[in-house]
Amino acid sequence: MCGIIGYVGHRKPLPILLDGLRRLEYRGYDSAGVAVGGDSGGLQIRRASGKLHQLEEAVRLNPVEGWYGVGHTRWATHGRPTEENAHPHQDSKGEIVVVHNGIVENYLALKHELEAQGHVFKTETDTEVIPHLIEQHMEGSFEEAVRAAVARMQGVFAFAAITSRDAGKIVVCRNGPPAVIGLGEGEYYVASDVPAILAHTRDVVFLQDGDMAVLTLDGVQVTSFEGQPVKRQMSHILWDPIMAEKGGYKHFMLKEIYEQPRAVRDTMLGRLGQESGRVFLDEMQISAKEFSEFERVRIVACGTSWHAAHVGKFMIERLARMSAGVDYGSEFRYRDPILGPETLTVLISQSGETADTLAAQREAKRKGSRTLAISNVMGSMLSREASGTLLTHAGPEIGVASTKTFTSQMTALLLLAMYLGQARGTLSREQSVELCQEMMAIPGKLEQVLSEEAQYGELVEALHKANDFLYLGRGIHYPIALEGALKMKEISYIHAEGYPAGEMKHGPNALIDESLPTVVIATMDAGDEGSVLRFEKTLSNIQEVKARGGKVAAIVSEASEEVDRMADHVVRIPRASELLLPILEVVPLQLMAYHIAVRRGCDVDQPRNLAKSVTVE
């Protein structure tokens, strides 16, 4: 989850490293550091605890010069977030430095072994064993020493190493967490994620597990850990560098909330036949016939993506009439799941590098299941190992709390549900055309929801002092209640819980009083009998809350005198079909969490103890 950046070229590296770290802060912001080398010999290291501006001040007061270097922004795993524990870490002689993302599981055994040989350790981190281990093997070339060190390491890791003994060389290793190599004109980059180098190049190579890359002014060479040359395809990233900037918004999260109409539109682009209603998926190794023969779907994800998976479960069961189940990526392989060729396993991950989701994918493949990835990053490990990928085209998402990737994932899942329904003959042409037309209208309806942001002022003023929130939803809308609660927890630090509305009598009613705001998703598709019944039942839940003195904020899509009369606050969204309402419903919940967090003085883009991409277990 830490951020790594590296550069070798003819420009001054420090501005490039600091800019890259700024763009990687969503991966960790406990501490940061840089190491720069040049012709004068020796490596100049600057580190600071806290956020990046502390490091920027350190290098302002004590500048560094050179033409190659590495940088790091940390999310602490081993050792407290102090300057001492900040990366880069050095060997005993100060000739080798390493920046690292991941966990060296056998670091204690390695540390004790190295200490017995005279190595002196100065930090609490597992990372420090890496430069010492490289030092122990520095008899030949630098890359051979790194190769020997890697052979001793257990765990998941990605790291970049430089040494003053071989100036202008960066050695990069990947075994789990992501590492991407950027290709420029006579200059080369390494980063944990594409946004860090997007301002400099869009031509990248995604390293795979077991890859070692050596970057010099002469180019990039990629081999296996064992030293065998390997070829990795270059990818051209289509994201505009401006997409990774705030663009005048106060926070990345707010900007990304407002980018949702475009993100949803781009995810549908080229995949829907407006006249035929047909869905066209990207090129896959799974044929249409095979899609029609799957008996069930298993969806695996973590965090916000897990909530999208639950929405997808309803979509698939309704449109394709096949059984669908949802699993946490972190739990999937520990229960020995029942899978085989008759099951399609769908893996959802914004980054395509989530460690638990990748492990689940490998477990599914081991059991004979075909896998399909839903990811926002072309060339990610998840997509490379899947039989097919549905890219969400949301663009870079910098805010730690996911917003536009969530609505894009739900859009991709609806496309998949329609495709399965069409392949299996459970979705008629007339139904497809109607649903297609409704989907094409969603970006405009999202823009309508966003144009009414001013309505949240009174609601936020009334609720921002609450210590707890309860979110209620029924059916396909229950996952939206879960997502609304998660957003409130993530960025405002308020305890919030999402609950199925029908389960109120089985416990949550005991919590209701005048100090507990209850957010109720009370939308309705008047043309859907099941939706109308759900709405009527939800009205009863609102009555239960009000009868116990609770405050209610309701999300509605149809005019209802009952809701207007009972609820303390009402937020209106446009009408839509039952399967599309979740895409609209979540936006008011995102805005409410955002504005309450701002009102409480919270760091919206970088909430405490969290990082964007969970690339270690």
Side-chain angles (χ1 to χ4, degrees):
M1 294 183 288
C2 302
I4 291 172
I5 180 72
Y7 170 78
V8 58
H10 299 288
R11 291 188 285 164
K12 292 183 177 181
L14 187 60
I16 295 170
L17 297 178
L18 291 176
D19 179 67
L21 292 179
R22 178 176 63 82
R23 297 173 190 276
L24 287 172
E25 261 200 302
Y26 60 87
R27 297 184 66 89
Y29 28 87
D30 294 332
S31 59
V34 295
V36 171
D39 294 327
S40 59
L43 299 174
Q44 304 162 72
I45 298 173
R46 304 290 183 269
R47 303 184 300 182
S49 62
K51 295 194 176 180
L52 185 59
H53 66 86
Q54 301 286 356
L55 175 64
E56 291 172 330
E57 179 65 10
V59 295
R60 185 186 70 81
L61 296 173
N62 195 2
V64 296
E65 293 290 338
W67 51 279
Y68 70 100
V70 293
H72 188 272
T73 182
R74 183 172 186 242
W75 190 87
T77 51
H78 287 77
R80 296 164 295 155
T82 63
E83 181 178 341
E84 180 183 64
N85 290 328
H87 298 216
H89 288 296
Q90 308 174 67
D91 68 329
S92 301
K93 301 174 184 176
E95 296 177 338
I96 300 166
V97 301
V98 167
V99 289
H100 166 231
N101 175 28
I103 298 174
V104 182
E105 294 176 353
N106 61 332
Y107 85 99
L108 274 178
L110 292 172
K111 182 176 181 179
H112 294 156
E113 176 187 319
L114 290 163
E115 284 176 329
Q117 296 170 358
H119 292 259
V120 178
F121 287 79
K122 300 177 181 179
T123 78
E124 303 169 313
T125 71
D126 59 331
T127 301
E128 196 182 3
V129 303
I130 305 176
H132 284 271
L133 204 55
I134 295 171
E135 178 190 10
Q136 189 72 8
H137 295 280
M138 278 292 283
E139 298 172 353
S141 70
F142 183 40
E143 49 264 52
E144 286 303 322
V146 173
R147 205 181 310 281
V150 166
R152 300 290 313 282
M153 293 164 54
Q154 298 172 11
V156 292
F157 51 82
F159 68 83
I162 59 175
T163 178
S164 58
R165 293 171 61 177
D166 198 348
K169 179 178 289 182
I170 303 175
V171 179
V172 184
C173 294
R174 170 180 178 156
N175 186 46
V180 57
I181 305 300
L183 310 176
E185 292 290 334
E187 55 185 7
Y188 303 94
Y189 311 80
V190 59
S192 295
D193 208 348
V194 169
I197 56 176
L198 201 55
H200 307 289
T201 181
R202 297 197 210 176
D203 293 330
V204 302
V205 173
F206 292 94
L207 296 186
Q208 297 188 24
D209 286 352
D211 282 357
M212 173 188 287
V214 178
L215 286 61
T216 66
L217 287 176
D218 296 326
V220 177
Q221 291 184 329
V222 182
T223 65
S224 67
F225 284 173
E226 293 74 28
Q228 298 300 315
V230 295
K231 289 186 178 181
R232 296 289 177 241
Q233 184 178 357
M234 186 193 76
S235 299
H236 183 73
I237 303 300
L238 299 178
W239 294 347
D240 190 317
I242 296 173
M243 296 171 74
E245 302 288 348
K246 284 185 184 176
Y249 288 89
K250 186 175 181 179
H251 296 99
F252 277 111
M253 181 181 179
L254 186 61
K255 172 178 178 277
E256 288 155 5
I257 288 172
Y258 272 83
E259 287 177 336
Q260 288 177 115
R262 179 205 55 78
V264 168
R265 186 180 291 114
D266 286 354
T267 299
M268 293 188 293
L269 192 64
R271 291 170 169 161
L272 280 173
Q274 287 184 272
E275 294 185 6
S276 65
R278 299 294 300 177
V279 173
F280 303 96
L281 297 187
D282 301 329
E283 186 175 334
M284 297 195 181
Q285 298 169 22
I286 307 173
S287 68
K289 182 175 184 296
E290 288 174 310
F291 270 110
S292 71
E293 293 173 346
F294 287 125
E295 297 176 9
R296 64 187 67 88
V297 176
R298 179 65 58 181
I299 315 175
V300 184
C302 301
T304 285
S305 298
W306 187 78
H307 299 154
H310 274 278
V311 175
K313 166 188 166 70
F314 282 92
M315 292 170 170
I316 290 168
E317 291 193 339
R318 180 154 180 176
L319 298 180
R321 304 309 301 157
M322 59 193 303
S323 174
V326 178
D327 278 274
Y328 278 115
S330 58
E331 295 289 330
F332 184 69
R333 64 194 186 281
Y334 297 117
R335 64 175 180 81
D336 192 17
I338 301 172
L339 296 170
E342 74 288 344
T343 302
L344 172 66
T345 302
V346 179
L347 296 306
I348 311 176
S349 167
Q350 185 279 140
S351 66
E353 301 286 354
T354 306
D356 289 318
T357 307
L358 281 168
Q361 180 182 48
R362 289 160 187 166
E363 175 71 4
K365 292 174 68 175
R366 188 179 70 81
K367 289 178 174 288
S369 175
R370 304 298 292 276
T371 66
L372 186 151
I374 294 178
S375 175
N376 191 42
V377 179
M378 178 178 67
S380 65
M381 182 65 78
L382 193 74
S383 63
R384 289 201 302 269
E385 294 193 5
S387 296
T389 300
L390 260 171
L391 285 172
T392 52
H393 300 297
E397 187 175 68
I398 308 301
V400 167
S402 296
T403 52
K404 63 178 180 176
T405 54
F406 179 64
T407 45
S408 298
Q409 286 168 354
M410 288 191 289
T411 303
L413 284 161
L414 184 52
L415 290 169
L416 175 61
M418 289 180 66
Y419 184 86
L420 286 167
Q422 290 167 0
R424 291 167 57 84
T426 58
L427 189 64
S428 69
R429 183 182 185 281
E430 293 74 18
Q431 290 171 315
S432 295
V433 170
E434 182 180 355
L435 192 51
C436 174
Q437 292 171 348
E438 291 178 349
M439 288 180 71
M440 299 297 284
I442 285 296
K445 292 181 180 182
L446 283 169
E447 290 169 352
Q448 183 180 333
V449 174
L450 291 165
S451 70
E452 298 171 359
E453 187 185 355
Q455 67 180 310
Y456 298 94
E458 180 183 341
L459 183 152
V460 169
E461 188 60 34
L463 302 181
H464 76 276
K465 293 182 180 179
N467 295 317
D468 303 275
F469 271 78
L470 183 63
Y471 288 72
L472 300 178
R474 284 178 179 268
I476 195 173
H477 313 278
Y478 163 53
I480 305 304
L482 292 173
E483 176 62 12
L486 178 60
K487 287 293 153 287
M488 188 65 76
K489 280 183 280 198
E490 284 180 310
I491 63 171
S492 71
Y493 315 144
I494 295 172
H495 171 257
E497 185 174 0
Y499 224 81
E503 294 294 305
M504 284 289 289
K505 296 182 180 68
H506 297 278
N509 273 344
L511 299 173
I512 302 296
D513 61 22
E514 65 279 356
S515 67
L516 178 72
T518 302
V519 181
V520 183
I521 300 172
T523 55
M524 178 178 62
D525 173 5
D528 186 300
E529 184 177 340
S531 183
V532 174
L533 177 61
R534 174 184 57 78
F535 174 77
E536 292 172 351
K537 295 291 185 184
T538 303
L539 285 179
S540 299
N541 297 122
I542 296 176
Q543 290 172 333
E544 289 176 25
V545 174
K546 295 304 296 180
R548 290 158 178 80
K551 296 185 178 69
V552 172
I555 311 296
V556 301
S557 59
E558 302 275 347
S560 170
E561 293 181 5
E562 296 97 326
V563 175
D564 289 344
R565 184 176 66 253
M566 290 187 292
D568 300 275
H569 307 279
V570 176
V571 176
R572 304 184 189 282
I573 64 172
R575 296 179 179 181
S577 71
E578 181 78 349
L579 294 180
L580 289 163
L581 278 170
I583 297 174
L584 302 176
E585 292 164 351
V586 75
V587 178
L589 303 185
Q590 294 168 347
L591 287 169
M592 185 169 71
Y594 170 80
H595 285 294
I596 286 177
V598 171
R599 184 71 172 79
R600 290 166 66 96
C602 300
D603 190 337
V604 172
D605 285 336
Q606 297 173 1
R608 65 190 183 202
N609 303 330
L610 299 177
K612 181 72 178 174
S613 302
V614 183
T615 55
V616 297
E617 296 182 50

